[in-house]
Amino acid sequence: MTAESGREVFRGERRFRPGLSPALTVRVLRVALWILVVSGPVAALVVATQVSSLRERLDVADRAAGVEVPLDTSGAEGFAELFIATYLGAGEDLTDGLDILLDGVSLDGVEDGSWSVARTTSLGAEEVGPGYYAVTVAAEVLATAEMSDGSPVWVPVGTRFYSVGVVETSAGFAITGLPALMPAPAGAAAPELLIRRLDGLDAAPGLEGMLPRFLAAFLTGNGELTRYTSPSAHIFPVRPPPFASVEILQAGLVDTGDGFTRVAAVVRATDSSGRAQVLEYWLLVSQRDGRWEVSELLPAPSLAPSESD
């Protein structure tokens, strides 16, 4: 495919990808199992025939009911990421890698080795035609520069966003043209959190003493983690310990009325070389025999209930 021929616009209705819903899948499996149990091994061919027939009929029912399976765009997105990483490492005399992905590439005026990329990630793909996707790729771009002694060095120039056309053919994926540099996607406002203010832990006497010790055992290996967790908790320390000390900068809590208290804590963790990171943890804690224990380390901040809840 050439760069020019690849620019043909694909138009058409959005492809309909029918598939079995979970409930219908269970029905198919139950019918197949019943046939196998009743008829024995000699009915294997009959089972396969029945399952195939049922699937075809249920696919028709899915279409009639308007059930649509989301498109799997992971292949197109991965191919676009590969292309952007290769594109940023190319130049006017260094297009061999690009030629494999897109024929007839011309990068006149682009000095070899002037750009590079630290990392790429896809932000999603939009189907703009049957089997044709516009993929947005975020790239952490590096530019070459010279140090005072004249030696070259890579300098980060920020995250840039590229749109890439990727078409899926019977032979695989193909890039339809050079990328377009786009503005950053609009960010959404964060939803309201369950704990609105990090105004301390005074409402739960004793928690302010337990929480730093738990976090120290979790992140530094200093202390026995099980001393601060409930018997049913499945919480394990980070290994090997990445930090040497932990300090709580801010914390807040809310009692949800179900026997548990949700806690949010912003901490500064410092390693043995003095390098620090600021992290945020949300935990579910409860009291047993007058002692606070961590019941669960939540994977994300808890959101405030919506009006419909």
Side-chain angles (χ1 to χ4, degrees):
M1 173 179 289
T2 66
E4 293 300 323
S5 64
R7 291 189 174 88
E8 178 184 356
V9 177
F10 290 78
R11 302 189 182 275
E13 297 296 326
R14 182 178 177 85
R15 286 190 297 173
F16 186 80
R17 300 284 180 88
L20 292 177
S21 67
L24 293 176
T25 302
V26 171
R27 285 172 53 195
V28 172
L29 294 176
R30 284 178 176 172
V31 171
L33 181 60
W34 181 85
I35 294 173
L36 185 61
V37 170
V38 172
S39 304
V42 295
L45 180 59
V46 177
V47 170
T49 303
Q50 292 294 326
V51 170
S52 177
S53 176
L54 280 170
R55 184 182 181 91
E56 291 175 2
R57 284 180 288 182
L58 291 173
D59 278 351
V60 172
D62 277 354
R63 294 189 187 97
V67 176
E68 184 178 358
V69 176
L71 294 175
D72 180 6
T73 61
S74 56
E77 294 179 56
F79 202 73
E81 288 188 56
L82 171 64
F83 174 71
I84 288 297
T86 307
Y87 162 79
L88 287 170
E92 61 180 355
D93 297 321
L94 190 63
T95 62
D96 292 348
L98 273 181
D99 287 337
I100 300 174
L101 303 171
L102 179 65
D103 292 339
V105 177
S106 176
L107 297 178
D108 291 344
V110 179
E111 183 180 354
D112 297 344
S114 56
W115 301 99
S116 186
V117 62
R119 181 174 58 177
T120 61
T121 185
S122 171
L123 300 184
E126 177 187 359
E127 191 178 32
V128 295
Y132 188 31
Y133 307 94
V135 182
T136 300
V137 176
E140 295 181 14
V141 180
L142 307 174
T144 187
E146 287 189 1
M147 299 182 66
S148 57
D149 60 0
S151 58
V153 62
W154 289 111
V155 177
V157 294
T159 301
R160 295 181 178 178
F161 302 88
Y162 297 90
S163 182
V164 184
V166 182
V167 65
E168 184 177 5
T169 72
S170 58
F173 293 104
I175 302 296
T176 58
L178 290 171
L181 184 63
M182 307 295 287
E192 189 174 13
L193 299 181
L194 183 63
I195 301 176
R196 296 176 176 84
R197 295 185 303 171
L198 301 181
D199 53 2
L201 305 175
D202 294 341
L207 185 56
E208 191 171 2
M210 183 277 288
L211 191 57
R213 293 193 291 270
F214 165 80
L215 291 169
F218 182 70
L219 291 173
T220 73
N222 182 17
E224 188 64 36
L225 191 66
T226 54
R227 293 183 57 189
Y228 313 109
T229 60
S230 64
S232 61
H234 298 284
I235 303 174
F236 304 95
V238 179
R239 297 294 187 197
F243 298 107
S245 64
V246 177
E247 177 188 3
I248 296 180
L249 303 178
Q250 291 178 293
L253 59 82
V254 62
D255 188 346
T256 53
D258 55 0
F260 293 98
T261 298
R262 278 175 167 78
V263 178
V266 176
V267 306
R268 179 168 54 230
T270 307
D271 67 11
S272 57
S273 298
R275 295 179 292 252
Q277 285 185 339
V278 176
L279 307 167
E280 184 172 341
Y281 288 94
W282 283 66
L283 312 94
L284 205 62
V285 302
S286 60
Q287 280 189 308
R288 184 169 65 95
D289 298 331
R291 296 175 57 251
W292 286 103
E293 297 176 331
V294 178
S295 300
E296 186 178 352
L297 193 60
L298 300 177
S302 300
L303 302 183
S306 63
E307 294 181 358
S308 60
D309 292 344

